[in-house]
Amino acid sequence: MKLDTARFGELEVREEDVVQFSAGIPGFEQSHQFVLIANEDHSPLAYLQSVDDGELAFIVVDPFEFFPNYEFELPELAMKELQMESADQIIVRTIVSVTGELEHATANLVAPIVMNKSSRSGKQVVLSQTNYTTKHRLLAPDATK
């Protein structure tokens, strides 16, 4: 299938790479289909591109690459919605906000994007009772020098 996107121009994506977000993503409930696009030039950054809206793409990262101690318990309801049967089915990404320079980029650890590779379903899970915030610095201040 071909996608016409604002960020990448025309993209060819496979149907089996499309992830269904039945409730959309909070604030973007009109978009239900997304595809994860690796960014070879800016790895480990990737994009979660909407299939429904070519203008909508989120910068995402694997949070475990930046925050090795990051952990959370997936709520039972989310596990059912995502048809989770085992941990190896899960892909976790967090949305990154970049305002100004990349060294000031932050990750939203309160609301990870959780996707099931097998069922191709996804959900942004808002964690409760957590010490995480929506703005964890991706890079330590001295790591950018």
Side-chain angles (χ1 to χ4, degrees), residues 61-81:
V61 294
D62 178 342
F64 305 106
E65 288 188 34
F66 292 90
F67 309 98
N69 297 325
Y70 181 57
E71 62 180 38
F72 61 92
E73 189 170 321
L74 197 58
E76 182 98 15
L77 180 59
M79 289 177 66
K80 285 181 183 174
E81 289 175 3

Side-chain angles (χ1 to χ4, degrees):
M1 100 184 347
K2 289 188 193 250
L3 297 181
D4 198 15
T5 70
R7 185 176 300 267
F8 307 105
E10 189 173 272
L11 283 179
E12 184 75 34
V13 297
R14 300 178 318 171
E15 263 313 310
E16 58 266 21
D17 292 335
V18 176
V19 178
Q20 301 293 325
F21 285 72
S22 62
I25 291 178
F28 303 92
E29 291 84 3
Q30 75 285 357
S31 291
H32 296 273
Q33 299 181 79
F34 289 85
V35 64
L36 193 58
I37 301 171
N39 186 333
E40 309 283 323
D41 295 335
H42 298 101
S43 182
L45 300 177
Y47 295 92
L48 189 62
Q49 172 66 55
S50 171
V51 173
D52 305 312
D53 179 356
E55 299 285 322
L56 179 61
F58 298 99
I59 300 171
V60 295
V61 294
D62 178 342
F64 305 106
E65 288 188 34
F66 292 90
F67 309 98
N69 297 325
Y70 181 57
E71 62 180 38
F72 61 92
E73 189 170 321
L74 197 58
E76 182 98 15
L77 180 59
M79 289 177 66
K80 285 181 183 174
E81 289 175 3
L82 296 170
Q83 303 164 25
M84 294 290 180
E85 294 174 8
S86 67
D88 64 339
Q89 295 175 311
I90 299 173
I91 297 173
V92 177
R93 296 293 180 264
T94 53
I95 294 178
V96 173
S97 294
V98 180
T99 12
E101 300 298 319
L102 186 58
E103 64 254 17
H104 300 296
T106 59
N108 179 351
L109 299 184
V110 173
I113 303 287
V114 182
M115 296 171 278
N116 181 332
K117 293 185 282 190
S118 300
S119 67
R120 296 187 350 238
S121 57
K123 178 177 183 61
Q124 185 172 28
V125 178
V126 179
L127 305 176
S128 61
Q129 299 177 359
T130 180
N131 291 326
Y132 297 122
T133 72
T134 58
K135 294 189 182 279
H136 282 269
R137 289 273 305 263
L138 275 184
L139 303 172
D142 58 354
T144 59
K145 295 179 182 173

